[in-house]
Amino acid sequence: MRTQVAIIGAGPAGLLLSHLLARGGVESVVLETRSQDYVASRIRAGILEQSSVDLLTEVGLGDRLRAEGDEHRGIYLNFAGERHHLDFVDLTGRTVWVYGQTEVQKDLVAAGTADVRYEVTDVALHDVETDRPYVTYIDSAGATQRLDAEVIAGCDGSFGPSRQAVPAEHFERVYPYSWLGILADVAPSTDELIYAWHQNGFALHSMRSPTVSRLYLQVPNGTDPASWSDERIWEELATRLGHGQDGWKLNPGPITDKSVLPMRSYVQTPMRHGRVFLAGDAAHIVPPTGAKGLNLAIADVTLLSQALVAMLRSGDPALADAYSDDALRRVWRCTHFSWWMTTMLHTSGDPFDAQLQLSQLRWVTTSSAGATGLAENYAGLPIGF
Ligand code: APR
Ligand code: PHB
Protein backbone atom coordinates (compact mmCIF):
# COMPACT_ATOMS: atom_id res chain seq x y z
CA MET A 1 0.00 0.00 0.00
CA ARG A 2 1.21 3.53 -0.72
CA THR A 3 0.22 6.90 0.73
CA GLN A 4 1.82 10.32 1.08
CA VAL A 5 1.98 10.45 4.88
CA ALA A 6 2.03 7.36 7.10
CA ILE A 7 0.72 8.47 10.50
CA ILE A 8 1.45 6.26 13.50
CA GLY A 9 -1.10 6.69 16.32
CA ALA A 10 -4.80 7.67 16.23
CA GLY A 11 -4.91 9.86 19.33
CA PRO A 12 -5.87 13.51 18.87
CA ALA A 13 -2.49 14.32 17.27
CA GLY A 14 -2.69 11.59 14.60
CA LEU A 15 -6.38 12.02 13.76
CA LEU A 16 -6.23 15.82 13.62
CA LEU A 17 -3.09 15.70 11.47
CA SER A 18 -4.84 13.39 9.03
CA HIS A 19 -7.86 15.75 8.95
CA LEU A 20 -5.68 18.84 8.33
CA LEU A 21 -3.65 17.10 5.62
CA ALA A 22 -6.83 16.02 3.82
CA ARG A 23 -8.00 19.64 3.82
CA GLY A 24 -4.67 20.60 2.27
CA GLY A 25 -4.98 17.92 -0.42
CA VAL A 26 -2.47 15.46 1.08
CA GLU A 27 -3.35 11.77 1.57
CA SER A 28 -2.55 9.83 4.71
CA VAL A 29 -3.17 6.47 6.39
CA VAL A 30 -3.24 6.16 10.19
CA LEU A 31 -2.04 3.03 12.03
CA GLU A 32 -3.29 2.41 15.58
CA THR A 33 -2.60 -0.49 17.95
CA ARG A 34 -5.76 -0.10 20.01
CA SER A 35 -9.41 -0.54 19.01
CA GLN A 36 -11.56 2.40 17.95
CA ASP A 37 -13.71 2.01 21.10
CA TYR A 38 -10.72 1.98 23.40
CA VAL A 39 -9.23 5.11 21.84
CA ALA A 40 -12.57 6.93 21.93
CA SER A 41 -13.30 6.19 25.59
CA ARG A 42 -9.98 7.01 27.30
CA ILE A 43 -10.44 9.64 29.98
CA ARG A 44 -8.01 12.48 29.38
CA ALA A 45 -7.69 16.25 29.83
CA GLY A 46 -10.57 18.65 29.45
CA ILE A 47 -9.45 22.21 28.76
CA LEU A 48 -9.01 23.79 25.32
CA GLU A 49 -7.15 27.05 24.84
CA GLN A 50 -8.68 29.78 22.72
CA SER A 51 -6.31 29.06 19.81
CA SER A 52 -7.19 25.33 19.88
CA VAL A 53 -10.90 26.22 19.75
CA ASP A 54 -10.30 28.68 16.90
CA LEU A 55 -8.34 26.08 14.94
CA LEU A 56 -10.93 23.31 15.45
CA THR A 57 -13.70 25.72 14.41
CA GLU A 58 -11.78 26.83 11.31
CA VAL A 59 -11.39 23.24 10.10
CA GLY A 60 -15.02 22.25 10.58
CA LEU A 61 -14.70 20.52 13.97
CA GLY A 62 -16.21 23.23 16.16
CA ASP A 63 -19.99 22.73 15.98
CA ARG A 64 -20.52 20.37 18.92
CA LEU A 65 -17.71 22.06 20.84
CA ARG A 66 -19.47 25.43 20.60
CA ALA A 67 -22.89 23.91 21.38
CA GLU A 68 -21.89 21.64 24.27
CA GLY A 69 -18.56 23.03 25.50
CA ASP A 70 -18.47 25.54 28.30
CA GLU A 71 -16.54 28.78 27.77
CA HIS A 72 -14.76 30.00 30.93
CA ARG A 73 -13.47 33.51 31.57
CA GLY A 74 -10.77 32.34 34.00
CA ILE A 75 -9.91 30.20 37.02
CA TYR A 76 -9.95 30.41 40.81
CA LEU A 77 -6.84 30.06 42.94
CA ASN A 78 -7.53 28.98 46.53
CA PHE A 79 -4.91 29.29 49.26
CA ALA A 80 -4.57 30.42 52.88
CA GLY A 81 -8.34 30.17 53.34
CA GLU A 82 -9.15 32.59 50.51
CA ARG A 83 -10.44 32.23 46.96
CA HIS A 84 -9.17 34.56 44.23
CA HIS A 85 -10.53 34.83 40.69
CA LEU A 86 -8.23 35.44 37.72
CA ASP A 87 -10.24 36.83 34.80
CA PHE A 88 -8.39 35.93 31.60
CA VAL A 89 -10.74 38.04 29.48
CA ASP A 90 -9.95 41.20 31.44
CA LEU A 91 -6.26 40.31 31.57
CA THR A 92 -5.61 39.07 28.03
CA GLY A 93 -8.88 39.15 26.06
CA ARG A 94 -8.81 35.34 25.76
CA THR A 95 -10.93 32.50 27.17
CA VAL A 96 -10.63 28.73 27.66
CA TRP A 97 -13.22 26.03 26.98
CA VAL A 98 -14.16 22.97 29.02
CA TYR A 99 -14.53 20.21 26.42
CA GLY A 100 -13.06 16.76 27.07
CA GLN A 101 -10.35 15.25 24.92
CA THR A 102 -12.72 12.29 24.61
CA GLU A 103 -15.20 14.61 22.88
CA VAL A 104 -12.55 16.02 20.54
CA GLN A 105 -11.63 12.44 19.66
CA LYS A 106 -15.31 11.59 18.94
CA ASP A 107 -15.65 14.65 16.68
CA LEU A 108 -12.54 13.62 14.75
CA VAL A 109 -13.89 10.09 14.27
CA ALA A 110 -17.33 11.46 13.26
CA ALA A 111 -15.69 13.74 10.66
CA GLY A 112 -14.62 10.49 8.96
CA THR A 113 -11.69 12.11 7.13
CA ALA A 114 -8.97 9.82 8.49
CA ASP A 115 -8.35 6.37 6.98
CA VAL A 116 -7.47 4.53 10.21
CA ARG A 117 -6.31 0.91 10.50
CA TYR A 118 -7.11 -0.06 14.10
CA GLU A 119 -5.76 -3.02 16.10
CA VAL A 120 -2.48 -3.36 14.22
CA THR A 121 0.66 -4.76 15.87
CA ASP A 122 4.42 -4.87 15.36
CA VAL A 123 4.60 -1.38 13.83
CA ALA A 124 8.16 -0.64 12.65
CA LEU A 125 9.69 2.30 10.78
CA HIS A 126 12.20 1.74 7.95
CA ASP A 127 14.52 3.80 5.72
CA VAL A 128 13.63 7.04 7.49
CA GLU A 129 16.81 8.72 6.26
CA THR A 130 15.78 8.24 2.62
CA ASP A 131 12.95 9.95 0.75
CA ARG A 132 11.14 6.58 0.43
CA PRO A 133 10.48 5.61 4.05
CA TYR A 134 8.01 2.83 4.88
CA VAL A 135 6.24 1.25 7.81
CA THR A 136 5.62 -2.46 8.32
CA TYR A 137 2.90 -3.85 10.59
CA ILE A 138 0.56 -6.76 11.14
CA ASP A 139 -3.06 -5.90 10.42
CA SER A 140 -6.09 -6.85 12.53
CA ALA A 141 -6.57 -10.01 10.45
CA GLY A 142 -2.99 -11.14 11.16
CA ALA A 143 -1.50 -10.33 7.72
CA THR A 144 1.89 -8.63 7.39
CA GLN A 145 1.58 -5.27 5.59
CA ARG A 146 3.90 -2.64 4.20
CA LEU A 147 2.88 1.02 3.94
CA ASP A 148 5.11 3.10 1.65
CA ALA A 149 5.09 6.85 2.15
CA GLU A 150 6.93 10.08 1.47
CA VAL A 151 6.87 11.06 5.13
CA ILE A 152 6.18 9.29 8.45
CA ALA A 153 4.43 11.25 11.21
CA GLY A 154 5.07 9.81 14.67
CA CYS A 155 1.94 10.57 16.71
CA ASP A 156 2.17 7.42 18.83
CA GLY A 157 2.56 8.91 22.29
CA SER A 158 5.37 8.27 24.74
CA PHE A 159 5.50 4.47 24.34
CA GLY A 160 5.32 4.17 20.54
CA PRO A 161 8.21 3.27 18.21
CA SER A 162 8.56 6.67 16.45
CA ARG A 163 10.44 8.33 19.28
CA GLN A 164 13.15 5.64 19.02
CA ALA A 165 13.59 6.36 15.29
CA VAL A 166 14.79 9.89 16.09
CA PRO A 167 18.29 10.12 17.57
CA ALA A 168 17.74 12.89 20.08
CA GLU A 169 18.59 14.61 23.29
CA HIS A 170 16.16 14.10 26.20
CA PHE A 171 15.25 16.49 28.97
CA GLU A 172 13.28 15.09 31.87
CA ARG A 173 11.87 15.96 35.30
CA VAL A 174 10.02 13.43 37.44
CA TYR A 175 7.96 14.92 40.27
CA PRO A 176 7.78 13.39 43.75
CA TYR A 177 3.96 13.22 43.72
CA SER A 178 1.05 11.99 41.60
CA TRP A 179 -2.62 12.89 41.10
CA LEU A 180 -5.51 10.78 42.27
CA GLY A 181 -8.23 11.68 39.75
CA ILE A 182 -11.93 10.97 40.00
CA LEU A 183 -14.93 11.37 37.71
CA ALA A 184 -18.20 11.82 39.57
CA ASP A 185 -21.84 11.97 38.53
CA VAL A 186 -22.52 15.22 40.30
CA ALA A 187 -23.01 18.80 39.12
CA PRO A 188 -19.80 20.84 39.54
CA SER A 189 -19.77 22.85 42.78
CA THR A 190 -18.12 25.74 40.96
CA ASP A 191 -18.66 27.73 37.74
CA GLU A 192 -14.93 27.76 36.88
CA LEU A 193 -11.97 25.52 37.82
CA ILE A 194 -10.53 25.81 41.32
CA TYR A 195 -6.78 25.21 41.75
CA ALA A 196 -6.07 24.87 45.47
CA TRP A 197 -2.84 25.09 47.44
CA HIS A 198 -3.25 23.45 50.84
CA GLN A 199 -0.75 22.24 53.42
CA ASN A 200 -2.14 18.70 52.92
CA GLY A 201 -1.36 18.99 49.21
CA PHE A 202 -2.78 20.31 45.94
CA ALA A 203 -6.40 19.80 44.84
CA LEU A 204 -8.23 20.70 41.63
CA HIS A 205 -11.93 20.95 40.94
CA SER A 206 -12.57 20.57 37.22
CA MET A 207 -15.60 19.38 35.28
CA ARG A 208 -16.74 17.70 32.09
CA SER A 209 -20.39 18.81 31.77
CA PRO A 210 -23.23 20.28 33.86
CA THR A 211 -23.70 16.82 35.43
CA VAL A 212 -20.16 15.41 35.56
CA SER A 213 -17.33 16.65 37.77
CA ARG A 214 -13.62 15.82 37.51
CA LEU A 215 -11.50 16.33 40.62
CA TYR A 216 -7.91 15.64 41.60
CA LEU A 217 -5.86 15.28 44.79
CA GLN A 218 -2.08 15.36 45.15
CA VAL A 219 -1.00 11.96 46.54
CA PRO A 220 2.41 10.31 47.07
CA ASN A 221 3.94 8.40 44.14
CA GLY A 222 2.99 4.74 44.17
CA THR A 223 -0.44 5.36 45.73
CA ASP A 224 -2.96 2.59 45.06
CA PRO A 225 -6.30 4.22 44.11
CA ALA A 226 -8.10 1.40 45.93
CA SER A 227 -6.51 2.58 49.19
CA TRP A 228 -8.66 5.74 49.03
CA SER A 229 -12.33 5.12 49.90
CA ASP A 230 -14.92 7.38 48.27
CA GLU A 231 -15.69 8.98 51.66
CA ARG A 232 -12.04 9.75 52.30
CA ILE A 233 -11.63 11.28 48.82
CA TRP A 234 -14.61 13.63 49.26
CA GLU A 235 -13.51 14.57 52.76
CA GLU A 236 -10.00 15.44 51.63
CA LEU A 237 -11.24 17.33 48.57
CA ALA A 238 -13.55 19.35 50.83
CA THR A 239 -10.68 20.22 53.18
CA ARG A 240 -8.25 21.24 50.46
CA LEU A 241 -10.75 23.06 48.21
CA GLY A 242 -12.15 25.18 51.06
CA HIS A 243 -15.54 23.68 51.97
CA GLY A 244 -17.18 26.05 54.43
CA GLN A 245 -15.01 28.98 53.38
CA ASP A 246 -17.32 32.02 52.87
CA GLY A 247 -20.28 29.62 52.73
CA TRP A 248 -18.92 27.62 49.76
CA LYS A 249 -19.85 23.93 49.67
CA LEU A 250 -18.41 20.97 47.81
CA ASN A 251 -21.24 18.63 46.80
CA PRO A 252 -20.16 14.97 46.78
CA GLY A 253 -21.69 12.38 44.46
CA PRO A 254 -21.20 8.87 43.05
CA ILE A 255 -17.62 8.29 41.86
CA THR A 256 -17.57 6.51 38.49
CA ASP A 257 -13.81 6.35 37.92
CA LYS A 258 -10.74 6.51 40.14
CA SER A 259 -7.14 6.47 38.88
CA VAL A 260 -3.64 7.64 39.74
CA LEU A 261 -1.66 9.74 37.24
CA PRO A 262 2.12 10.11 37.46
CA MET A 263 3.58 13.58 36.84
CA ARG A 264 6.47 14.05 34.45
CA SER A 265 8.01 16.67 32.19
CA TYR A 266 9.84 15.32 29.13
CA VAL A 267 11.08 16.92 25.94
CA GLN A 268 12.91 15.23 23.09
CA THR A 269 14.84 17.39 20.63
CA PRO A 270 14.85 17.62 17.67
CA MET A 271 11.33 16.62 16.64
CA ARG A 272 12.46 15.49 13.20
CA HIS A 273 14.97 13.04 11.79
CA GLY A 274 15.14 12.58 8.00
CA ARG A 275 11.57 11.85 6.92
CA VAL A 276 10.15 11.16 10.41
CA PHE A 277 8.39 14.04 12.17
CA LEU A 278 7.20 13.72 15.79
CA ALA A 279 4.09 15.44 17.16
CA GLY A 280 2.22 15.46 20.48
CA ASP A 281 3.11 13.09 23.32
CA ALA A 282 5.58 11.25 21.05
CA ALA A 283 7.91 14.24 21.46
CA HIS A 284 6.97 15.71 24.83
CA ILE A 285 5.05 15.12 28.05
CA VAL A 286 3.90 17.79 30.48
CA PRO A 287 2.48 17.30 33.96
CA PRO A 288 -1.30 17.89 33.83
CA THR A 289 -1.29 21.11 35.91
CA GLY A 290 -2.36 23.83 33.48
CA ALA A 291 -3.84 21.37 30.94
CA LYS A 292 -1.28 21.89 28.17
CA GLY A 293 -0.86 18.34 26.76
CA LEU A 294 -3.76 18.29 24.32
CA ASN A 295 -3.28 21.93 23.32
CA LEU A 296 0.39 21.29 22.54
CA ALA A 297 -0.54 18.30 20.39
CA ILE A 298 -3.02 20.49 18.46
CA ALA A 299 -0.39 23.22 17.96
CA ASP A 300 2.24 20.69 16.77
CA VAL A 301 0.01 19.13 14.13
CA THR A 302 -1.18 22.54 12.92
CA LEU A 303 2.44 23.51 12.20
CA LEU A 304 3.26 20.05 10.85
CA SER A 305 0.31 19.94 8.45
CA GLN A 306 1.27 23.33 6.98
CA ALA A 307 4.86 22.14 6.61
CA LEU A 308 3.91 18.84 4.95
CA VAL A 309 1.39 20.41 2.56
CA ALA A 310 4.07 22.89 1.38
CA MET A 311 6.65 20.12 1.07
CA LEU A 312 4.51 17.50 -0.65
CA ARG A 313 2.32 19.70 -2.85
CA SER A 314 4.61 22.59 -3.77
CA GLY A 315 8.01 20.97 -3.24
CA ASP A 316 8.89 23.70 -0.75
CA PRO A 317 10.83 22.26 2.21
CA ALA A 318 11.28 25.54 4.16
CA LEU A 319 8.50 24.97 6.73
CA ALA A 320 9.40 21.30 7.13
CA ASP A 321 13.02 22.28 7.79
CA ALA A 322 11.84 24.82 10.36
CA TYR A 323 9.22 22.52 11.96
CA SER A 324 11.27 21.23 14.88
CA ASP A 325 12.51 24.69 15.93
CA ASP A 326 9.09 26.29 15.40
CA ALA A 327 7.27 23.62 17.42
CA LEU A 328 9.88 23.54 20.18
CA ARG A 329 9.51 27.26 20.95
CA ARG A 330 5.96 26.61 22.10
CA VAL A 331 6.83 23.22 23.65
CA TRP A 332 9.42 24.80 25.94
CA ARG A 333 7.07 27.68 26.84
CA CYS A 334 4.39 25.17 27.87
CA THR A 335 6.97 22.94 29.56
CA HIS A 336 8.05 25.88 31.66
CA PHE A 337 4.48 26.96 32.42
CA SER A 338 3.29 23.51 33.48
CA TRP A 339 6.43 22.99 35.62
CA TRP A 340 5.85 26.44 37.19
CA MET A 341 2.15 25.80 37.95
CA THR A 342 3.06 22.36 39.31
CA THR A 343 5.82 23.58 41.61
CA MET A 344 3.78 26.58 42.80
CA LEU A 345 0.81 24.44 43.86
CA HIS A 346 2.11 21.07 45.14
CA THR A 347 3.43 20.83 48.66
CA SER A 348 6.63 19.03 49.50
CA GLY A 349 6.63 19.30 53.28
CA ASP A 350 9.48 21.83 53.19
CA PRO A 351 8.46 25.00 55.10
CA PHE A 352 10.77 27.26 53.06
CA ASP A 353 9.20 26.01 49.80
CA ALA A 354 5.73 26.58 51.27
CA GLN A 355 6.49 30.23 52.05
CA LEU A 356 7.87 30.79 48.54
CA GLN A 357 4.75 29.20 47.04
CA LEU A 358 2.44 31.38 49.11
CA SER A 359 4.41 34.48 48.17
CA GLN A 360 4.16 33.55 44.50
CA LEU A 361 0.41 32.90 44.80
CA ARG A 362 -0.09 36.27 46.51
CA TRP A 363 1.82 37.91 43.68
CA VAL A 364 -0.22 36.32 40.87
CA THR A 365 -3.49 37.20 42.64
CA THR A 366 -2.64 40.81 43.59
CA SER A 367 -0.32 42.14 40.88
CA SER A 368 -1.73 42.65 37.40
CA ALA A 369 1.71 41.86 35.95
CA GLY A 370 1.78 38.52 37.82
CA ALA A 371 -1.84 37.69 36.96
CA THR A 372 -1.37 38.58 33.28
CA GLY A 373 1.64 36.28 32.96
CA LEU A 374 -0.33 33.34 34.31
CA ALA A 375 -3.41 34.22 32.23
CA GLU A 376 -1.46 34.63 28.99
CA ASN A 377 0.15 31.21 29.37
CA TYR A 378 -2.98 29.45 30.63
CA ALA A 379 -5.36 30.81 27.96
CA GLY A 380 -2.56 30.12 25.49
CA LEU A 381 -0.36 31.99 23.10
CA PRO A 382 -1.35 32.02 19.42
CA ILE A 383 -0.23 28.92 17.48
CA GLY A 384 3.17 29.73 15.97
CA PHE A 385 3.87 32.66 18.30
N1 APR B 1 1.59 1.75 16.74
C1 APR B 1 0.46 2.48 16.47
N2 APR B 1 -0.12 3.26 17.39
C2 APR B 1 0.44 3.32 18.60
C3 APR B 1 1.61 2.61 18.93
C4 APR B 1 2.19 1.78 17.94
N3 APR B 1 3.27 1.04 18.19
N4 APR B 1 1.93 2.88 20.23
C5 APR B 1 1.00 3.73 20.69
N5 APR B 1 0.10 4.01 19.71
C6 APR B 1 -1.09 4.85 19.79
C7 APR B 1 -1.77 4.84 21.15
O1 APR B 1 -2.60 3.70 21.33
C8 APR B 1 -2.55 6.13 21.10
O2 APR B 1 -3.86 5.95 20.60
O3 APR B 1 -0.74 6.20 19.61
C9 APR B 1 -1.76 7.02 20.16
C10 APR B 1 -1.15 8.20 20.87
O4 APR B 1 -2.20 9.03 21.33
P1 APR B 1 -2.11 9.92 22.66
O5 APR B 1 -1.41 9.17 23.72
O6 APR B 1 -3.49 10.41 22.93
O7 APR B 1 -1.14 11.12 22.25
P2 APR B 1 -1.38 12.39 21.31
O8 APR B 1 -2.26 12.07 20.15
O9 APR B 1 -0.02 12.95 21.09
O10 APR B 1 -2.23 13.38 22.20
C11 APR B 1 -1.68 14.19 23.16
O11 APR B 1 -3.31 13.36 24.58
O12 APR B 1 -3.01 11.94 26.33
C12 APR B 1 -3.07 13.19 25.99
O13 APR B 1 -1.54 14.12 27.52
C13 APR B 1 -1.84 13.91 26.21
O14 APR B 1 -3.41 15.49 26.15
C14 APR B 1 -2.29 15.02 25.47
C15 APR B 1 -2.71 14.51 24.17
C1 PHB C 1 -9.12 18.19 33.67
O1 PHB C 1 -10.27 18.64 33.59
O2 PHB C 1 -8.88 16.98 33.51
C2 PHB C 1 -8.01 19.12 33.97
C3 PHB C 1 -8.26 20.48 34.01
C4 PHB C 1 -7.24 21.36 34.29
C5 PHB C 1 -5.96 20.87 34.54
C6 PHB C 1 -5.71 19.51 34.51
C7 PHB C 1 -6.74 18.63 34.20
O3 PHB C 1 -4.99 21.75 34.85
Side-chain angles (χ1 to χ4, degrees):
M1 197 182 8
R2 162 162 287 284
T3 189
Q4 288 178 288
V5 182
I7 300 177
I8 307 179
L15 285 188
L16 181 59
L17 178 62
S18 180
H19 183 84
L20 297 175
L21 288 173
R23 287 178 63 89
V26 170
E27 272 178 20
S28 62
V29 170
V30 186
L31 303 176
E32 168 61 53
T33 42
R34 303 290 194 156
S35 69
Q36 181 167 348
D37 283 352
Y38 179 90
V39 172
S41 57
R42 284 186 293 214
I43 300 167
R44 293 281 181 81
I47 301 290
L48 291 175
E49 296 173 3
Q50 176 94 52
S51 43
S52 300
V53 172
D54 292 346
L55 183 273
L56 292 170
T57 305
E58 214 176 287
V59 300
L61 295 165
D63 291 352
R64 208 163 63 88
L65 192 170
R66 287 182 181 271
E68 295 173 21
D70 193 12
E71 187 173 21
H72 285 189
R73 290 182 67 97
I75 57 166
Y76 297 100
L77 286 171
N78 206 84
F79 60 95
E82 284 176 23
R83 186 156 305 161
H84 303 260
H85 187 241
L86 291 191
D87 190 309
F88 302 158
V89 178
D90 289 349
L91 293 161
T92 68
R94 296 165 80 77
T95 60
V96 292
W97 288 67
V98 171
Y99 192 66
Q101 178 169 322
T102 317
E103 306 309 316
V104 175
Q105 186 88 23
K106 280 186 206 152
D107 294 341
L108 281 161
V109 170
T113 27
D115 173 0
V116 190
R117 313 299 160 98
Y118 288 99
E119 297 179 65
V120 305
T121 54
D122 289 17
V123 175
L125 297 80
H126 306 272
D127 290 357
V128 300
E129 287 165 8
T130 73
D131 55 10
R132 288 277 171 270
Y134 64 97
V135 182
T136 51
Y137 63 97
I138 298 175
D139 69 20
S140 57
T144 300
Q145 300 286 354
R146 169 175 167 146
L147 176 59
D148 288 279
E150 290 172 62
V151 162
I152 299 174
C155 301
D156 42 354
S158 43
F159 304 108
S162 302
R163 189 182 266 190
Q164 269 87 49
V166 176
E169 200 175 348
H170 313 286
F171 301 86
E172 187 169 23
R173 172 69 37 99
V174 177
Y175 300 88
Y177 31 73
S178 302
W179 279 11
L180 172 66
I182 61 158
L183 263 185
D185 279 338
V186 60
S189 302
T190 177
D191 57 341
E192 293 183 350
L193 273 62
I194 307 171
Y195 288 81
W197 181 98
H198 189 277
Q199 64 232 20
N200 292 4
F202 170 72
L204 171 61
H205 189 329
S206 182
M207 58 204 72
R208 286 291 176 275
S209 74
T211 54
V212 177
S213 296
R214 176 88 170 135
L215 300 105
Y216 300 97
L217 284 171
Q218 176 188 340
V219 292
N221 284 345
T223 296
D224 174 3
S227 68
W228 279 77
S229 68
D230 294 8
E231 297 67 37
R232 181 171 169 220
I233 290 173
W234 284 114
E235 212 171 283
E236 192 59 24
L237 283 167
T239 304
R240 296 189 195 180
L241 289 166
H243 180 88
Q245 194 182 291
D246 296 325
W248 181 77
K249 285 190 173 46
L250 176 68
N251 299 318
I255 295 177
T256 56
D257 188 86
K258 214 186 271 187
S259 59
V260 169
L261 293 65
M263 315 264 291
R264 192 158 77 98
S265 298
Y266 177 94
V267 181
Q268 162 156 341
T269 72
M271 287 168 63
R272 174 193 184 175
H273 176 64
R275 288 288 179 115
V276 190
F277 295 77
L278 302 179
D281 279 16
H284 41 74
I285 300 289
V286 287
T289 333
K292 288 293 160 206
L294 173 58
N295 293 291
L296 263 185
I298 291 174
D300 283 356
V301 297
T302 303
L303 295 176
L304 184 55
S305 63
Q306 290 162 356
L308 295 181
V309 169
M311 177 177 162
L312 300 174
R313 295 214 51 204
S314 324
D316 179 357
L319 289 177
D321 290 344
Y323 168 69
S324 179
D325 289 345
D326 287 348
L328 282 165
R329 266 198 302 281
R330 186 191 189 82
V331 167
W332 276 116
R333 178 86 304 280
C334 294
T335 300
H336 175 267
F337 177 67
S338 48
W339 164 85
W340 177 75
M341 285 284 279
T342 299
T343 49
M344 175 170 72
L345 289 162
H346 292 73
T347 51
S348 65
D350 181 316
F352 182 77
D353 285 350
Q355 292 306 322
L356 293 183
Q357 291 173 323
L358 288 167
S359 169
Q360 181 82 5
L361 283 161
R362 262 178 237 118
W363 181 61
V364 295
T365 49
T366 54
S367 144
S368 63
T372 306
L374 191 155
E376 184 178 53
N377 282 281
Y378 194 108
L381 293 145
I383 290 173
F385 81 102

